[in-house]
């Protein structure tokens, strides 16, 4: 049964006239809420009734004194915090209303090892002022492309900060602020039932073209982001690469992607790099459209905006990515070690995707829990064709001081049936973490021709 709060939010959306999937613009009066009762990205500024979720007061705008230079692993700004309580398989009923079905299933599947340590809620989400300004402007102009499969007339900020539909919330996730250009060396692993794993290490470069300052909307060339990743280890995979141009309006043009085969020294177009194509490096525990929790076109699903809920989500996970924590300490059979994880109670947008008739995907239903302050999908519960809960994805969020902005420390994808899981984005044992200081090399750098040249 939906909670009264969920029903209230859904009814409010309808009462305000948010019934069209295409006409997403809001009035100036509504947009002005982004400067008063709502945060500049669309969350509620006020805390909740019992005070367990505090008022938003700007988030973390500057690095703590212990953060000395770019590329440094992010020190924990709350080192003295300890859990308020821990949710376990034994007390699950006490906290059920603040858990996703996937979290409940994780507690029941691993009753002796998995738990959810809940800390004081700290609303650390922040973004630069120019992102806030663009978000305000987008609220007045942004529209969905035909069928909800893209965003039109938006740039450099959240397109739908006052969302009217589930697919608008999803596009807020797809287009969320994560910086302008970044480079990162990180590893991913598929952890087997016995806890064994093999690291796969990549060097990635991401140009968030949509957030390129000074760019006009008509200069976007329908590109949301450029992505290039070279595999560095193990030796049997080293040299292979993937290049992708993520499009903003996927009706006009779907994602463009290419792969480089080091053995053949050839670049080939990769038309299947989308939807439920399994990711080889993830040992088939993650699909292409699960990368970054969700990416790509939403066209195979019907999307429903259910409302808002207060959920224990991964947040401020600085310890999980600390260089003082080794992969061996972090990776347990079945799940990440709860000792190094942090959950907090936050308001989330709840949206549900149900597979359209005649469409194909291994997930027939997906329920998303998306942080209201940053538009990051924090938890996704995914169901198979029988309607049974199959996989649970969790993004371990934190504020990247140098932006500032909320993104993920790492993402974990749990297969409850196979009792295996995959983790993407680990860099604890690397000398540095993600680097935002370098200037983007430009669109020509992210071309198949350049990929071929670099692969030689």
């Amino acid at each position: 049964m939906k909670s009264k709060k969920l029903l209230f939010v859904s009814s409010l959306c309808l009462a305000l006239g948010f019934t069209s999937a295409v006409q997403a613009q809001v009035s100036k009066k509504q947009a002005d809420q982004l400067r008063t009762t709502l945060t500049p990205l669309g969350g509620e500024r006020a805390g909740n009734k019992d005070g367990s979720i505090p008022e938003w007061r700007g988030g973390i705008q500057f690095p703590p004194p212990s953060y000395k230079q770019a590329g440094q692993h992010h020190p924990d700004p709350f080192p003295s915090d300890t859990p308020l309580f821990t949710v376990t398989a034994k007390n699950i009923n006490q906290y059920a209303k603040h858990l996703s079905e996937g979290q409940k299933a994780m507690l029941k599947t691993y009753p002796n090892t998995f738990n959810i340590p809940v800390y004081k809620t700290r609303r650390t989400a922040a973004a630069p002022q120019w992102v806030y300004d663009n978000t305000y402007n987008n609220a007045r102009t942004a529209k969905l492309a035909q069928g909800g499969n893209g965003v039109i007339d938006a740039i450099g900020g959240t397109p739908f900060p006052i969302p009217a539909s589930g697919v608008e919330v999803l596009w807020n996730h797809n287009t969320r602020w994560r910086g302008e250009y970044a480079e990162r060396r990180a590893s991913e692993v598929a952890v087997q039932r016995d806890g064994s794993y093999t690291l796969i290490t990549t060097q990635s470069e991401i140009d968030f073209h949509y957030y390129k300052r000074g760019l006009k909307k008509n200069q976007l060339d329908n590109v949301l982001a450029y992505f290039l990743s070279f595999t560095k280890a193990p030796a049997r995979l080293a040299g292979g690469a993937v290049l992708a141009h993520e499009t903003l309006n996927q009706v006009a043009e779907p994602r463009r992607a290419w792969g480089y085969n080091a053995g053949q020294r050839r670049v080939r177009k990769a038309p299947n790099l989308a939807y439920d194509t399994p990711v080889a490096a993830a040992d088939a525990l993650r699909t292409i459209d699960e990368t970054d929790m969700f990416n790509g076109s939403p066209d195979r699903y019907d999307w429903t905006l259910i409302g808002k809920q207060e959920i224990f989500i991964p947040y401020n996970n600085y310890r999980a990515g600390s260089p003082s924590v080794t992969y061996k300490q972090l990776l347990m059979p079945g799940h990440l070690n709860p000792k190094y994880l942090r959950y907090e109670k936050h308001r989330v947008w709840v949206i549900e995707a149900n597979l359209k008739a005649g469409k194909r995907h291994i997930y027939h239903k997906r329920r998303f829990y998306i942080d209201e302050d940053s538009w990051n999908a924090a938890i996704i519960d995914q169901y198979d064709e029988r309607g049974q809960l199959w996989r649970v994805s969790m993004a371990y969020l934190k504020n990247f001081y140098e932006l500032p902005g909320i993104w993920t420390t790492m993402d974990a994808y749990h297969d409850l049936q196979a009792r295996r899981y995959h983790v993407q984005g680990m860099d604890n044992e690397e000398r540095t973490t993600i680097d935002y200081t370098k200037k983007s090399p430009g669109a020509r750098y992210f071309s198949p021709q350049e990929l071929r040249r670099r692969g030689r």
Side-chain angles (χ1 to χ4, degrees):
M1 180 181 292
K2 297 183 179 71
S3 70
K4 291 182 179 178
K5 187 166 187 176
L6 289 177
L7 289 171
F8 171 75
V9 174
S10 298
S11 299
L12 179 62
C13 290
L14 292 173
L16 290 174
F18 295 147
T19 56
S20 169
V22 177
Q23 298 301 322
Q25 307 104 310
V26 300
S27 68
K28 182 180 184 302
K29 182 178 179 180
Q30 290 169 317
D32 285 346
Q33 295 176 59
L34 299 171
R35 296 170 174 171
T36 54
T37 57
L38 300 179
T39 73
L41 295 184
E44 296 175 45
R45 287 182 188 256
N48 64 353
K49 288 184 179 180
D50 65 11
S52 56
I53 297 176
E55 177 187 3
W56 182 81
R57 296 185 177 180
I60 295 180
Q61 291 284 351
F62 303 100
S66 54
Y67 184 77
K68 302 297 183 183
Q69 60 185 12
Q72 173 188 344
H73 287 85
H74 301 90
D76 189 344
F78 314 114
S80 300
D81 283 5
T82 56
L84 301 174
F85 54 87
T86 300
V87 184
T88 68
K90 293 182 179 179
N91 64 10
I92 185 173
N93 291 336
Q94 183 179 348
Y95 302 104
K97 68 179 181 179
H98 299 306
L99 301 170
S100 81
E101 292 303 313
Q103 288 176 310
K104 295 175 188 176
M106 289 284 293
L107 288 164
K108 293 174 182 177
T109 302
Y110 306 104
N112 299 320
T113 57
F114 182 74
N115 59 67
I116 298 175
V118 179
Y119 288 71
K120 178 180 179 180
T121 298
R122 297 186 181 273
R123 295 179 70 179
T124 52
Q129 185 60 48
W130 63 270
V131 173
Y132 293 157
D133 293 341
N134 286 342
T135 296
Y136 178 85
N137 294 331
N138 289 342
R140 301 291 314 280
T141 63
K143 299 180 291 293
L144 290 171
Q146 182 182 357
N149 300 322
V151 178
I152 299 170
D153 208 7
I155 192 170
T158 302
F160 309 113
I162 306 174
S165 65
V167 75
E168 288 179 14
V169 173
L170 182 77
W171 277 111
N172 287 346
H173 163 81
N174 283 354
T175 59
R176 70 200 186 282
W177 163 246
R178 289 160 285 173
E180 296 176 74
Y181 174 75
E183 295 184 2
R184 187 183 196 185
R185 182 182 170 98
S187 295
E188 56 186 301
V189 292
V191 183
Q192 306 306 319
R193 289 184 72 139
D194 61 2
S196 62
Y197 60 85
T198 299
L199 288 175
I200 297 177
T201 304
T202 59
Q203 178 72 33
S204 301
E205 302 164 50
I206 312 171
D207 183 320
F208 297 103
H209 187 64
Y210 175 80
Y211 282 96
K212 186 174 181 179
R213 277 180 283 186
L215 207 64
K216 306 287 186 184
K217 294 175 186 176
N218 60 6
Q219 297 174 316
L220 280 173
D221 194 28
N222 196 32
V223 174
L224 174 60
Y226 297 105
F227 174 79
L228 176 60
S229 179
F230 277 90
T231 302
K232 297 297 184 180
R236 62 185 173 82
L237 299 175
V242 171
L243 169 66
H245 296 178
E246 187 71 358
T247 55
L248 191 58
N249 181 344
Q250 301 210 357
V251 174
E253 186 176 18
R255 170 187 295 140
R256 306 186 290 266
W258 300 263
Y260 175 75
N261 185 298
Q264 299 176 347
R265 296 187 177 182
R266 294 185 63 182
V267 173
R268 292 183 174 177
K269 202 160 187 179
N272 295 325
L273 204 68
Y275 300 112
D276 59 354
T277 300
V279 176
D283 199 16
L285 290 168
R286 172 169 59 89
T287 62
I288 289 293
D289 67 3
E290 283 183 281
T291 301
D292 201 29
M293 297 296 278
F294 186 89
N295 70 89
S297 175
D299 68 326
R300 295 192 179 182
Y301 292 94
D302 290 317
W303 298 84
T304 302
L305 174 59
I306 295 176
K308 277 191 180 179
Q309 195 171 346
E310 296 177 2
I311 293 288
F312 300 140
I313 63 173
Y315 223 89
N316 292 313
N317 274 276
Y318 294 92
R319 195 177 183 195
S322 170
S324 65
V325 177
T326 66
Y327 299 149
K328 186 176 181 180
Q329 291 174 308
L330 185 64
L331 301 171
M332 295 176 59
H335 52 80
L336 297 174
N337 190 338
K339 176 181 178 181
Y340 304 109
L341 306 179
R342 176 176 178 135
Y343 296 79
E344 300 177 0
K345 185 195 291 184
H346 285 259
R347 282 186 296 248
V348 296
W349 287 99
V350 184
I351 62 174
E352 188 170 285
N354 286 279
L355 193 64
K356 291 179 178 178
K359 295 291 185 178
R360 182 195 167 281
H361 200 289
I362 63 170
Y363 302 132
H364 281 236
K365 184 174 81 170
R366 305 164 96 160
R367 181 166 283 207
F368 293 65
Y369 298 85
I370 297 180
D371 173 35
E372 71 164 346
D373 288 338
S374 67
W375 300 106
N376 280 271
I379 304 171
I380 305 176
D381 297 341
Q382 303 180 113
Y383 296 76
D384 63 20
E385 61 183 358
R386 300 167 297 177
Q388 295 183 359
L389 185 63
W390 180 9
R391 290 177 174 172
V392 183
S393 305
M394 287 192 249
Y396 291 87
L397 307 176
K398 70 178 182 183
N399 185 309
F400 288 70
Y401 310 129
E402 60 272 47
L403 292 177
I406 298 286
W407 200 12
T408 180
T409 308
M410 61 189 69
D411 296 336
Y413 306 85
H414 308 87
D415 188 320
L416 297 173
Q417 297 172 15
R419 299 202 175 195
R420 299 186 300 138
Y421 69 107
H422 177 255
V423 184
Q424 185 181 29
M426 301 188 306
D427 61 14
N428 308 50
E429 297 182 9
E430 299 292 336
R431 290 188 304 106
T432 60
T433 186
I434 194 166
D435 184 355
Y436 284 107
T437 62
K438 297 179 182 178
K439 186 178 180 181
S440 169
R444 291 183 62 184
Y445 178 83
F446 294 95
S447 67
Q449 295 78 16
E450 183 67 15
L451 175 60
R452 186 178 292 109
R453 186 190 69 78
R454 288 192 62 190
R456 291 174 183 170

